């Protein structure tokens, strides 16, 4: 005769088999084959997944679901970290974006020896999520991948970046300037606003892509006589291994991927530091674009108060803002300009990456839901 403990254990194993069998229906090739080699979950609190998906790369963090106080959230250990390519559906298409997202999550779970059935909550923060229809489409992807008990959240990648600087609290403003750029903010009562982040076609001019695209345009204008001469011409040609400005047109359209063009920003900075007026003006214009994005969000949400002097966090994320390149520090210039307009601003350069911020959001969302259930 089986003891009650043994009966519970057997029921648990049977439930696990049912879940695993259900998951096999949604397999994408061999992505989830590693689950076959894993045993039954040992009954711990499970894990969380936080994903930060951008135009250049996608990072997934796996953390344990430990129910402690929010003040201890920073001590939540990282069990695994996985990296993949672009997951912005506007850049690579829906099929490629979905495959990237699924692969990077599988890699993270595989590295820490966990199955999808052990996941308690997932927070996907990906660029290109600009409308509720974007959120719903990606949520549908996730529901095909995970068991029904998993709590799923889909947000714009800017939200995870904000969370990385505020330890999972959605309050204040975040400014991202990497391959693309966006400003996003929240009030303490949940109101939100954004500025920029519409992609290169609609003018993310404060981004790395925007800076580099203007530099390439300046070279072409200088070549055909519409613009002033600039050392950007010789510097970019040398960087790309081209012999004439005419070849830049072919190089640009041979593969107009955003990240490929954005990679030219260091050349622009070097030229500006060397005294090139055209390069310097491009960087000054990018600073003003970024400042105007922050100003738009702060004013719409009233983050600085009626007198314009109230304090609020401004989280600064992205290679354009965080890479210190000699005397031309774009992030520093942005902070100086914003401080003049909003003296109460509290600039924050996160010590953790946005994917950790996404995992912290997953923890916060899950714990809030548990508290609400307990109250009811």
């Amino acid at each position: 005769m089986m003891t009650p403990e043994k009966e519970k254990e057997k029921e648990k194993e049977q439930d696990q088999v049912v879940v695993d069998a259900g998951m096999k229906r949604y397999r994408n090739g061999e992505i989830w084959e590693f689950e076959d080699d894993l045993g039954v979950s040992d009954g711990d609190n499970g894990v969380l997944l936080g994903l930060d998906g951008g135009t250049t790369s996608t990072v997934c963090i796996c953390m344990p679901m430990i129910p402690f106080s929010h003040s201890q959230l920073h001590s939540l250990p990282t069990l695994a970290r996985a990296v993949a390519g672009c997951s912005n559906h506007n850049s690579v298409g829906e099929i490629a974006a979905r495959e990237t997202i699924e692969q990077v999550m599988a890699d993270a779970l595989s590295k820490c020896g966990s199955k999808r059935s052990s996941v308690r909550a997932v927070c996907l923060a990906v660029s290109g999520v600009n409308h509720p229809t974007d959120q719903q489409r990606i949520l549908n992807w996730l529901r095909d991948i995970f068991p029904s008990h998993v709590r799923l959240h889909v947000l714009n990648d800017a939200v995870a970046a904000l969370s990385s600087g505020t330890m999972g609290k959605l309050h204040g403003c975040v400014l991202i300037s990497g391959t693309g750029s966006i400003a996003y903010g929240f009030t303490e009562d949940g109101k939100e606003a954004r500025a920029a982040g519409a992609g290169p076609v609609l003018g993310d001019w404060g981004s790395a892509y925007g800076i580099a695209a203007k530099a390439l345009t300046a070279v072409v204008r200088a070549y055909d006589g519409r613009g002033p001469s600039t050392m950007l011409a010789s510097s970019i040609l040398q960087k790309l291994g081209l012999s004439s400005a005419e070849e830049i047109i072919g190089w640009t359209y041979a593969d107009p991927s955003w990240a490929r063009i954005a990679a030219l920003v260091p050349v622009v900075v070097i030229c500006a530091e060397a005294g090139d007026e055209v390069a310097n003006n491009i960087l000054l214009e990018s600073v003003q674009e970024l400042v105007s994005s922050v100003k738009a969000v702060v004013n719409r949400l009233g983050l600085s108060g009626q007198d314009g002097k109230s304090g609020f966090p401004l989280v600064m994320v992205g290679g354009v803002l965080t890479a210190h390149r000699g005397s031309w520090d774009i992030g520093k210039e942005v902070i100086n300009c914003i401080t003049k307009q909003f003296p109460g601003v509290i600039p924050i350069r996160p010590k953790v990456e946005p994917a950790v911020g996404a995992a912290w959001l997953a923890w916060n969302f899950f714990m809030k839901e548990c508290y609400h259930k307990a109250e009811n």
Side-chain angles (χ1 to χ4, degrees):
M1 183 175 180
M2 297 181 68
T3 64
E5 290 79 9
K6 287 288 186 181
E7 288 181 354
K8 279 189 175 181
E9 187 176 334
K10 186 172 182 180
E11 288 176 3
K12 187 176 179 181
E13 289 178 356
Q14 290 173 340
D15 290 343
Q16 185 70 53
V17 169
V18 171
V19 170
D20 290 346
M23 286 300 95
K24 286 182 179 181
R25 288 179 296 151
Y26 303 115
R27 295 222 171 159
N28 181 357
E30 298 179 353
I31 287 180
W32 299 103
E33 289 296 326
F34 71 90
E35 292 184 326
D36 292 337
D37 299 325
L38 300 177
V40 177
S41 174
D42 59 6
D44 58 17
N45 291 313
V47 297
L48 306 166
L49 291 179
L51 186 145
D52 170 48
T55 305
T56 303
S57 63
T58 302
V59 178
C60 185
I61 293 290
C62 184
M63 290 183 168
M65 181 58 236
I66 303 175
F68 48 34
S69 66
H70 182 273
S71 62
Q72 298 173 294
L73 192 56
H74 67 279
S75 63
L76 202 63
T78 296
L79 300 177
R81 180 180 186 271
V83 183
C86 174
S87 56
N88 185 321
H89 65 92
N90 292 325
S91 179
V92 297
E94 288 192 20
I95 295 176
R98 174 172 180 164
E99 288 178 351
T100 297
I101 289 172
E102 186 168 2
Q103 183 66 65
V104 78
M105 292 189 299
D107 288 347
L109 288 173
S110 176
K111 286 182 178 181
C112 67
S114 295
K115 294 185 176 184
R116 286 170 287 176
S117 55
S118 297
V119 177
R120 297 294 172 262
V122 177
C123 179
L124 254 65
V126 288
S127 62
V129 175
N130 303 311
H131 190 271
T133 56
D134 298 324
Q135 288 179 304
Q136 190 58 54
R137 183 166 57 253
I138 297 175
L139 279 172
N140 291 339
W141 298 354
L142 293 178
R143 290 193 180 104
D144 282 347
I145 295 171
F146 290 97
S148 59
H149 72 269
V150 181
R151 299 295 177 260
L152 305 173
H153 308 276
V154 176
L155 307 165
N156 185 277
D157 62 333
V159 183
L162 175 63
S163 171
S164 70
T166 59
M167 211 163 72
K169 292 183 178 179
L170 296 183
H171 171 245
C173 182
V174 61
L175 175 64
I176 300 177
S177 182
T179 303
S181 65
I182 188 173
Y184 212 114
F186 285 85
T187 61
E188 290 184 332
D189 61 358
K191 294 178 183 177
E192 58 186 281
R194 58 176 285 173
V201 175
L202 298 178
D204 281 350
W205 298 123
S207 68
Y209 179 95
I211 293 170
K214 282 190 174 183
L216 291 170
T217 301
V219 172
V220 173
R221 289 176 63 86
Y223 173 76
D224 64 20
R226 290 177 296 143
S229 61
T230 169
M231 68 181 295
L232 284 169
S234 59
S235 298
I236 288 179
L237 289 175
Q238 182 180 3
K239 174 70 175 179
L240 300 180
L242 304 178
S243 58
S244 72
E246 288 180 321
E247 295 180 68
I248 285 181
I249 299 173
W251 178 88
T252 300
Y253 292 107
D255 177 11
S257 65
W258 305 345
R260 176 172 174 260
I261 292 173
L264 293 173
V265 167
V267 178
V268 184
V269 175
I270 290 171
C271 290
E273 291 181 335
D276 185 80
E277 185 176 355
V278 173
N280 193 67
N281 286 338
I282 289 173
L283 296 185
L284 288 174
E285 289 169 4
S286 74
V287 169
Q288 291 307 312
E289 284 285 343
L290 295 171
V291 171
S292 66
S293 295
V294 172
K295 184 178 179 180
V297 170
V298 172
N299 287 339
R300 285 167 61 190
L301 295 178
L303 293 176
S304 62
Q306 292 184 346
D307 61 358
K309 298 179 180 179
S310 296
F312 64 91
L314 173 63
V315 180
M316 311 275 283
V317 175
V320 172
L321 299 172
T322 58
H324 303 290
R325 304 181 180 100
S327 60
W328 234 116
D329 186 335
I330 296 175
K332 184 177 180 180
E333 292 296 324
V334 169
I335 291 174
N336 288 341
C337 291
I338 292 175
T339 301
K340 290 178 182 178
Q341 299 187 43
F342 305 111
V345 66
I346 305 169
I348 298 173
R349 295 183 186 270
K351 296 181 180 179
V352 299
E353 61 184 328
V356 174
W360 286 349
L361 285 173
W363 185 91
N364 273 338
F365 292 150
F366 185 83
M367 292 305 296
K368 283 181 181 178
E369 188 171 332
C370 289
Y371 290 147
H372 290 157
K373 285 183 177 180
E375 289 175 357
N376 297 329

